[in-house]
Amino acid sequence: MENRKLSICMIGFGNAGKEFCRLLIKKREEIKDTYDFDVIVTAISTKSKGALYDPTGVDLSRALHEVESEGRFSENNPKRTDGSTLEIIKKSGADVLIELSTLSIKDGQPAISHIEEAFRNNMHVITANKGPIAWDYKRLKRMANEKNLAFLHETTVMDGTPVFNLVEKTLPGCRVLRFKGILNSTTNFIMEEMEAGSDFETALKEAQRRGFAEANPSMDIDGWDAAAKTAALINVLMDGEVNPMTIDTTGISGITVKDIEEAKKKGGKIKLLCEGYRENGRVKGRVYPAFVDNRDIFSKVDSTTSILSITTDLMGEICIVERNPEIQQTAYGIYSDLLTLIKEWF
Amino acid sequence: MENRKLSICMIGFGNAGKEFCRLLIKKREEIKDTYDFDVIVTAISTKSKGALYDPTGVDLSRALHEVESEGRFSENNPKRTDGSTLEIIKKSGADVLIELSTLSIKDGQPAISHIEEAFRNNMHVITANKGPIAWDYKRLKRMANEKNLAFLHETTVMDGTPVFNLVEKTLPGCRVLRFKGILNSTTNFIMEEMEAGSDFETALKEAQRRGFAEANPSMDIDGWDAAAKTAALINVLMDGEVNPMTIDTTGISGITVKDIEEAKKKGGKIKLLCEGYRENGRVKGRVYPAFVDNRDIFSKVDSTTSILSITTDLMGEICIVERNPEIQQTAYGIYSDLLTLIKEWF
């Protein structure tokens, strides 16, 4: 019996994209058996690795091998293609766009235009890129609704840990009053190293060596990554209309070893907190380094672990914790959205 | 326009049942507006407060007032009725049974027979009583499936905090490899008081005074409540077939102030842990007091707060925490199952 086909157009083929493809290769038969869908990738567009297009399904193992050995899709790959990302989205004829391009914190582009193009071509969208959710969620969601298309984004905050789905699917009837989280690993790691006696520069270098921090670390250090996650959470969970620039953001560059020692003396630590709250009928967000008492569960959120506490009208306060995630957990987030799409939209 | 009717038969009218009714009174119009359902309670059966029956809908405010002022439904209430619980379930003609009777840890009865009777009468079931899930989940779930009826039980572990729904609705494609939790408030509170300098007896009395611990505290102290929760989690989340008696259970009665002081010296605490794990192709459970390092997030789960860590094949380890719940969170668990029923089964 022929399986139904579900075709994907991928934008971006970095660590998350590659790991998602590995997972897809591993799970392809299971998806066929469980949901009667044959999932194929008909196009991959990247900024610096070239692009592939094959309406019968790109050979993912070959694509992975090429990028790992040559750093890009091979000149010899017969499925290499040209054209802009927007042209490839259109040409892909895919059922779903998976948006994995690099985040631009300043405006959420070009990811937003990729998503618009997908909706124009009647494609569902899964984004692991938080830019569009932080900058333009409401409008994009409306576009999706008008065409009865899915717009899924579980991976944008805390990887595959259910955050958006937690509220949407498991807390029916609840209204989110506020949230508080520790959502940026780099700053969390740096302040922990400083507490253990390191200075800021050494701690930052160690984070870069371990692969948490980017070569240009200001996205993390200055709180922009945390602000984008806060904006995404506010827009989706609290029906707010904010963007990273309207989040009241203070990074950790002003934090000294002395501040951390003083916090230690007072029986606590400094953590970069992300908060969403309601004030005078409006939803607001802030990101700031704050004292956290050692008796508080937030003080034990160390290294790359993250936590989100959600307070609702009916269910009080619950927290969800992602412990020591790896790239597999990012790939799972995309995969879980793909299964949600299959189960709920086909 | 006439709303569709959804009628409930309630077994039990203790703190959780009363709080659920208060919530239902508050939310009745919202449910009508949102889901086009008029939710009524056609019967309430209790062990010691009498029973009410009104096919057009019991007056819940009156029922609450009577129980609060007289300790039972009034002799003057025209809707008072006689008959066994099984007879009332049958007579209720309700769409859904809400099972809130007192847990019998020894065999899960009489709740199991209430649920069987509901299924025989083509009623959906929501249970906040963990006995049936801990003792007889597989068979009851099969009965429900055969008649295409819902069998919902989110409240049985960690009140309304999503635990079962977390896995079912937000972790698609994941297999639960193991779990670890702190799920019993009484023992958690007692050991905390002992750490603060109290002896066992004084700590227990304080827990009783504050309303966590029962007059007969052995359900908690000897680990039975924790074992029942462990069994419920194993049966549902890990497809196991266990019951509270097959959980390897050690309570906290053997824990001395000296043990707790020694743990403190070693930089940690003693916590009563609940674990489910796979061993030689079988799923097993255990409950035992264990040393928890102060650096571990589990060490900060204090008083009535509870935590469940779930490790899956694809998503690694995530934890969910319920912070300082009150009776409202139990009522919300039942309410959330009711909304799930309305959204997914009607």
Side-chain angles (χ1 to χ4, degrees):
Chain A
M1 205 179 74
E2 274 283 297
N3 292 105
R4 292 174 290 175
K5 285 257 185 301
L6 184 105
S7 56
I8 294 171
C9 173
M10 280 177 70
I11 309 302
F13 203 68
N15 289 335
K18 286 187 290 180
E19 190 61 29
F20 169 70
C21 284
R22 283 184 207 108
L23 184 57
L24 202 55
I25 292 167
K26 211 169 102 185
K27 291 289 180 182
R28 192 173 173 188
E29 290 306 311
E30 187 181 316
I31 300 173
K32 273 187 198 166
D33 293 348
T34 313
Y35 304 105
D36 187 32
F37 267 102
D38 188 16
V39 177
I40 57 171
V41 175
T42 56
I44 306 175
S45 175
T46 76
K47 210 170 149 190
S48 59
K49 300 182 185 81
L52 299 175
Y53 169 65
D54 184 345
T56 68
V58 165
D59 181 341
L60 293 179
S61 299
R62 178 174 179 160
L64 283 165
H65 179 74
E66 287 176 0
V67 167
E68 271 151 28
S69 55
E70 302 177 40
R72 53 179 295 132
F73 302 132
S74 170
E75 296 291 341
N76 303 321
N77 193 321
K79 305 303 179 185
R80 274 196 62 134
T81 190
D82 293 319
S84 70
T85 294
L86 293 182
E87 284 162 355
I88 290 170
I89 291 170
K90 195 166 185 176
K91 179 165 79 172
S92 73
D95 300 303
V96 52
L97 177 83
I98 299 187
E99 163 53 48
L100 300 161
S101 70
T102 310
L103 169 64
S104 163
I105 194 63
K106 286 199 304 280
D107 55 8
Q109 290 292 9
I112 290 172
S113 57
H114 300 161
I115 292 172
E116 289 172 323
E117 184 64 17
F119 289 149
R120 270 196 289 274
N121 288 278
N122 293 307
M123 294 160 69
H124 301 283
V125 170
I126 292 170
T127 181
N129 182 325
K130 60 181 130 356
I133 309 300
W135 278 95
D136 214 1
Y137 173 71
K138 282 271 163 63
R139 190 180 63 89
L140 293 170
K141 180 68 180 164
R142 253 194 321 270
M143 284 182 75
N145 288 347
E146 277 163 15
K147 293 197 149 192
N148 199 27
L149 293 165
F151 183 35
L152 305 173
H153 47 77
E154 187 57 83
T155 324
T156 57
V157 178
M158 287 174 78
D159 309 313
T161 303
V163 169
F164 302 108
N165 286 330
L166 183 77
V167 174
E168 185 190 328
K169 295 185 191 298
T170 76
L171 293 171
C174 278
R175 181 165 185 257
V176 175
L177 302 178
R178 58 183 176 277
F179 67 78
K180 186 170 90 172
I182 298 173
L183 301 173
N184 179 269
S185 297
T186 303
T187 49
N188 206 38
F189 177 81
I190 288 174
M191 288 192 288
E192 210 172 82
E193 290 286 295
M194 285 167 78
E195 199 194 334
S198 180
D199 62 42
F200 187 93
E201 289 306 320
T202 313
L204 172 58
K205 283 213 181 80
E206 178 64 14
Q208 284 167 331
R209 196 188 64 80
R210 294 213 202 171
F212 312 148
E214 305 294 323
N216 174 355
S218 82
M219 270 277 287
D220 294 315
I221 302 301
D222 296 336
W224 289 112
D225 174 74
K229 286 169 179 166
T230 303
L233 290 169
I234 286 176
N235 289 341
V236 181
L237 298 185
M238 299 180 76
D239 198 31
E241 294 215 46
V242 299
N243 69 56
M245 300 299 166
T246 65
I247 303 298
D248 181 5
T249 301
T250 309
I252 66 158
S253 59
I255 298 296
T256 61
V257 170
K258 192 161 163 264
D259 294 330
I260 289 174
E261 276 168 5
E262 268 170 27
K264 204 171 174 177
K265 269 183 217 149
K266 281 200 290 175
K269 298 177 179 186
I270 298 177
K271 296 281 186 189
L272 187 69
L273 298 185
C274 301
E275 293 180 355
Y277 56 100
R278 297 178 189 275
E279 194 176 78
N280 304 327
R282 290 189 58 202
V283 191
K284 295 181 173 181
R286 59 176 179 171
V287 170
Y288 63 108
F291 175 79
V292 173
D293 193 287
N294 277 336
R295 285 167 297 188
D296 191 321
I297 206 167
F298 270 58
S299 71
K300 295 302 169 239
V301 175
D302 47 19
S303 196
T304 59
T305 293
S306 52
I307 189 169
L308 181 66
S309 154
I310 297 174
T311 302
T312 64
D313 54 350
L314 301 182
M315 191 41 226
E317 182 184 357
I318 64 173
C319 307
I320 188 145
V321 179
E322 180 182 39
R323 255 179 152 174
N324 306 314
E326 306 283 344
I327 191 69
Q328 286 82 359
Q329 277 67 64
T330 310
Y332 172 70
I334 305 163
Y335 179 69
S336 83
D337 276 347
L338 183 69
L339 294 187
T340 300
L341 181 71
I342 290 174
K343 291 199 290 182
E344 297 179 10
W345 296 81
F346 284 92
Chain B
M1 203 179 77
E2 274 284 294
N3 292 106
R4 292 175 289 175
K5 283 256 184 306
L6 183 103
S7 56
I8 294 171
C9 172
M10 282 178 68
I11 310 301
F13 203 69
N15 289 334
K18 285 187 290 181
E19 190 62 28
F20 169 71
C21 284
R22 282 184 207 108
L23 184 56
L24 202 56
I25 291 167
K26 210 168 102 184
K27 291 289 180 182
R28 193 173 173 188
E29 289 306 312
E30 186 181 318
I31 301 173
K32 273 187 199 167
D33 292 347
T34 313
Y35 304 104
D36 187 32
F37 267 103
D38 188 16
V39 177
I40 56 170
V41 174
T42 56
I44 305 174
S45 175
T46 76
K47 211 171 148 190
S48 60
K49 299 181 186 81
L52 298 175
Y53 169 64
D54 183 346
T56 69
V58 165
D59 181 341
L60 293 179
S61 299
R62 177 173 181 161
L64 283 164
H65 179 74
E66 287 176 0
V67 167
E68 271 152 28
S69 56
E70 301 178 40
R72 52 178 297 130
F73 302 132
S74 170
E75 296 291 338
N76 303 323
N77 193 319
K79 305 303 178 184
R80 273 197 62 135
T81 188
D82 292 321
S84 70
T85 294
L86 294 182
E87 285 162 354
I88 290 171
I89 292 170
K90 194 168 185 173
K91 179 165 78 172
S92 73
D95 299 303
V96 53
L97 177 83
I98 299 187
E99 164 53 48
L100 300 161
S101 70
T102 310
L103 170 64
S104 163
I105 193 63
K106 286 199 305 280
D107 55 8
Q109 290 291 9
I112 291 172
S113 57
H114 299 161
I115 292 172
E116 289 171 323
E117 183 65 17
F119 289 148
R120 269 195 291 273
N121 288 278
N122 293 307
M123 293 161 71
H124 301 284
V125 170
I126 293 170
T127 179
N129 182 325
K130 61 182 130 357
I133 310 299
W135 278 96
D136 214 1
Y137 172 70
K138 283 271 163 63
R139 189 179 64 88
L140 293 170
K141 180 68 179 162
R142 253 194 321 271
M143 284 182 75
N145 289 347
E146 277 162 16
K147 294 197 149 190
N148 199 27
L149 294 165
F151 183 35
L152 305 173
H153 47 77
E154 188 57 84
T155 324
T156 57
V157 178
M158 288 174 77
D159 309 313
T161 304
V163 168
F164 302 108
N165 286 332
L166 183 77
V167 174
E168 187 191 326
K169 295 186 192 296
T170 76
L171 294 170
C174 278
R175 182 166 183 258
V176 175
L177 303 177
R178 58 185 177 276
F179 67 78
K180 185 169 90 171
I182 298 173
L183 302 173
N184 180 270
S185 298
T186 303
T187 51
N188 206 39
F189 177 82
I190 288 175
M191 288 192 289
E192 210 172 81
E193 289 285 296
M194 285 168 77
E195 201 194 331
S198 179
D199 62 41
F200 187 95
E201 289 306 319
T202 313
L204 172 58
K205 282 212 181 83
E206 178 64 14
Q208 285 168 329
R209 194 186 66 79
R210 292 214 204 170
F212 312 147
E214 304 294 323
N216 174 356
S218 81
M219 270 277 286
D220 294 315
I221 302 302
D222 296 337
W224 289 113
D225 174 75
K229 287 169 177 164
T230 304
L233 290 168
I234 287 177
N235 290 341
V236 180
L237 298 184
M238 299 181 76
D239 197 32
E241 293 215 46
V242 300
N243 69 56
M245 299 300 165
T246 66
I247 303 298
D248 181 5
T249 301
T250 308
I252 66 158
S253 59
I255 299 296
T256 62
V257 170
K258 192 161 164 261
D259 295 329
I260 288 173
E261 276 168 5
E262 269 170 27
K264 204 171 176 178
K265 269 183 219 151
K266 281 200 291 176
K269 297 177 179 187
I270 299 177
K271 294 283 186 188
L272 188 69
L273 298 184
C274 301
E275 292 181 356
Y277 56 100
R278 297 177 189 276
E279 195 176 78
N280 304 324
R282 289 188 58 201
V283 191
K284 295 180 174 182
R286 59 177 178 170
V287 170
Y288 62 109
F291 175 79
V292 173
D293 193 287
N294 276 338
R295 285 168 298 188
D296 190 322
I297 206 167
F298 271 58
S299 71
K300 295 302 168 243
V301 176
D302 48 19
S303 195
T304 59
T305 293
S306 52
I307 189 169
L308 181 66
S309 153
I310 297 174
T311 303
T312 65
D313 54 351
L314 302 181
M315 192 38 227
E317 183 183 357
I318 63 174
C319 307
I320 189 146
V321 178
E322 180 182 40
R323 254 178 154 176
N324 307 315
E326 305 283 344
I327 192 69
Q328 285 82 357
Q329 277 66 63
T330 310
Y332 172 71
I334 305 162
Y335 180 69
S336 83
D337 276 348
L338 184 69
L339 294 187
T340 300
L341 181 72
I342 289 174
K343 290 200 289 182
E344 298 180 8
W345 297 80
F346 284 92

PDB file of all heavy atoms in Angstrom, chain A residues 160-171:
ATOM      1  N   GLY A 160      12.890  21.359  22.941  1.00  0.00           N
ATOM      2  CA  GLY A 160      11.676  20.538  22.813  1.00  0.00           C
ATOM      3  C   GLY A 160      10.868  20.414  24.094  1.00  0.00           C
ATOM      4  O   GLY A 160       9.830  19.753  24.106  1.00  0.00           O
ATOM      5  N   THR A 161      11.328  21.049  25.168  1.00  0.00           N
ATOM      6  CA  THR A 161      10.548  21.017  26.410  1.00  0.00           C
ATOM      7  C   THR A 161       9.215  21.710  26.178  1.00  0.00           C
ATOM      8  O   THR A 161       9.188  22.834  25.691  1.00  0.00           O
ATOM      9  CB  THR A 161      11.299  21.764  27.532  1.00  0.00           C
ATOM     10  OG1 THR A 161      12.574  21.160  27.680  1.00  0.00           O
ATOM     11  CG2 THR A 161      10.545  21.691  28.847  1.00  0.00           C
ATOM     12  N   PRO A 162       8.114  21.051  26.508  1.00  0.00           N
ATOM     13  CA  PRO A 162       6.824  21.697  26.249  1.00  0.00           C
ATOM     14  C   PRO A 162       6.627  22.938  27.100  1.00  0.00           C
ATOM     15  O   PRO A 162       6.659  22.874  28.320  1.00  0.00           O
ATOM     16  CB  PRO A 162       5.801  20.613  26.598  1.00  0.00           C
ATOM     17  CG  PRO A 162       6.536  19.618  27.419  1.00  0.00           C
ATOM     18  CD  PRO A 162       7.972  19.692  27.017  1.00  0.00           C
ATOM     19  N   VAL A 163       6.463  24.050  26.447  1.00  0.00           N
ATOM     20  CA  VAL A 163       6.244  25.325  27.119  1.00  0.00           C
ATOM     21  C   VAL A 163       4.937  25.897  26.565  1.00  0.00           C
ATOM     22  O   VAL A 163       3.958  26.055  27.282  1.00  0.00           O
ATOM     23  CB  VAL A 163       7.431  26.268  26.846  1.00  0.00           C
ATOM     24  CG1 VAL A 163       7.094  27.669  27.298  1.00  0.00           C
ATOM     25  CG2 VAL A 163       8.678  25.768  27.529  1.00  0.00           C
ATOM     26  N   PHE A 164       4.915  26.104  25.256  1.00  0.00           N
ATOM     27  CA  PHE A 164       3.685  26.580  24.622  1.00  0.00           C
ATOM     28  C   PHE A 164       2.617  25.480  24.677  1.00  0.00           C
ATOM     29  O   PHE A 164       1.474  25.736  25.024  1.00  0.00           O
ATOM     30  CB  PHE A 164       3.974  26.995  23.178  1.00  0.00           C
ATOM     31  CG  PHE A 164       5.017  28.069  23.089  1.00  0.00           C
ATOM     32  CD1 PHE A 164       6.295  27.803  22.619  1.00  0.00           C
ATOM     33  CD2 PHE A 164       4.731  29.361  23.522  1.00  0.00           C
ATOM     34  CE1 PHE A 164       7.258  28.801  22.551  1.00  0.00           C
ATOM     35  CE2 PHE A 164       5.688  30.371  23.458  1.00  0.00           C
ATOM     36  CZ  PHE A 164       6.959  30.085  22.970  1.00  0.00           C
ATOM     37  N   ASN A 165       3.015  24.252  24.350  1.00  0.00           N
ATOM     38  CA  ASN A 165       2.058  23.144  24.397  1.00  0.00           C
ATOM     39  C   ASN A 165       1.593  22.845  25.815  1.00  0.00           C
ATOM     40  O   ASN A 165       0.474  22.378  26.021  1.00  0.00           O
ATOM     41  CB  ASN A 165       2.663  21.878  23.781  1.00  0.00           C
ATOM     42  CG  ASN A 165       2.734  21.967  22.264  1.00  0.00           C
ATOM     43  OD1 ASN A 165       1.909  22.627  21.635  1.00  0.00           O
ATOM     44  ND2 ASN A 165       3.730  21.312  21.675  1.00  0.00           N
ATOM     45  N   LEU A 166       2.470  23.096  26.786  1.00  0.00           N
ATOM     46  CA  LEU A 166       2.089  22.876  28.185  1.00  0.00           C
ATOM     47  C   LEU A 166       0.831  23.673  28.509  1.00  0.00           C
ATOM     48  O   LEU A 166      -0.128  23.155  29.081  1.00  0.00           O
ATOM     49  CB  LEU A 166       3.238  23.299  29.107  1.00  0.00           C
ATOM     50  CG  LEU A 166       3.014  23.056  30.599  1.00  0.00           C
ATOM     51  CD1 LEU A 166       3.215  21.591  30.946  1.00  0.00           C
ATOM     52  CD2 LEU A 166       3.942  23.913  31.459  1.00  0.00           C
ATOM     53  N   VAL A 167       0.842  24.938  28.130  1.00  0.00           N
ATOM     54  CA  VAL A 167      -0.310  25.802  28.433  1.00  0.00           C
ATOM     55  C   VAL A 167      -1.480  25.460  27.514  1.00  0.00           C
ATOM     56  O   VAL A 167      -2.617  25.278  27.968  1.00  0.00           O
ATOM     57  CB  VAL A 167       0.073  27.287  28.308  1.00  0.00           C
ATOM     58  CG1 VAL A 167      -1.158  28.180  28.482  1.00  0.00           C
ATOM     59  CG2 VAL A 167       1.133  27.642  29.349  1.00  0.00           C
ATOM     60  N   GLU A 168      -1.208  25.327  26.215  1.00  0.00           N
ATOM     61  CA  GLU A 168      -2.304  25.132  25.260  1.00  0.00           C
ATOM     62  C   GLU A 168      -2.996  23.783  25.435  1.00  0.00           C
ATOM     63  O   GLU A 168      -4.220  23.691  25.372  1.00  0.00           O
ATOM     64  CB  GLU A 168      -1.767  25.247  23.825  1.00  0.00           C
ATOM     65  CG  GLU A 168      -2.875  25.164  22.786  1.00  0.00           C
ATOM     66  CD  GLU A 168      -2.326  25.033  21.372  1.00  0.00           C
ATOM     67  OE1 GLU A 168      -1.244  25.576  21.090  1.00  0.00           O
ATOM     68  OE2 GLU A 168      -3.001  24.360  20.556  1.00  0.00           O
ATOM     69  N   LYS A 169      -2.201  22.733  25.658  1.00  0.00           N
ATOM     70  CA  LYS A 169      -2.773  21.389  25.629  1.00  0.00           C
ATOM     71  C   LYS A 169      -3.026  20.773  26.997  1.00  0.00           C
ATOM     72  O   LYS A 169      -3.736  19.778  27.100  1.00  0.00           O
ATOM     73  CB  LYS A 169      -1.856  20.456  24.830  1.00  0.00           C
ATOM     74  CG  LYS A 169      -1.749  20.839  23.358  1.00  0.00           C
ATOM     75  CD  LYS A 169      -0.921  19.815  22.588  1.00  0.00           C
ATOM     76  CE  LYS A 169      -0.572  20.297  21.210  1.00  0.00           C
ATOM     77  NZ  LYS A 169      -1.737  20.540  20.349  1.00  0.00           N
ATOM     78  N   THR A 170      -2.383  21.300  28.062  1.00  0.00           N
ATOM     79  CA  THR A 170      -2.552  20.620  29.353  1.00  0.00           C
ATOM     80  C   THR A 170      -3.103  21.519  30.458  1.00  0.00           C
ATOM     81  O   THR A 170      -3.308  21.043  31.562  1.00  0.00           O
ATOM     82  CB  THR A 170      -1.223  19.983  29.846  1.00  0.00           C
ATOM     83  OG1 THR A 170      -0.375  21.012  30.358  1.00  0.00           O
ATOM     84  CG2 THR A 170      -0.520  19.208  28.753  1.00  0.00           C
ATOM     85  N   LEU A 171      -3.322  22.786  30.165  1.00  0.00           N
ATOM     86  CA  LEU A 171      -3.900  23.675  31.186  1.00  0.00           C
ATOM     87  C   LEU A 171      -5.162  24.352  30.651  1.00  0.00           C
ATOM     88  O   LEU A 171      -5.276  25.577  30.660  1.00  0.00           O
ATOM     89  CB  LEU A 171      -2.860  24.723  31.623  1.00  0.00           C
ATOM     90  CG  LEU A 171      -1.635  24.183  32.376  1.00  0.00           C
ATOM     91  CD1 LEU A 171      -0.579  25.271  32.554  1.00  0.00           C
ATOM     92  CD2 LEU A 171      -2.026  23.612  33.746  1.00  0.00           C
TER      93      LEU A 171
END
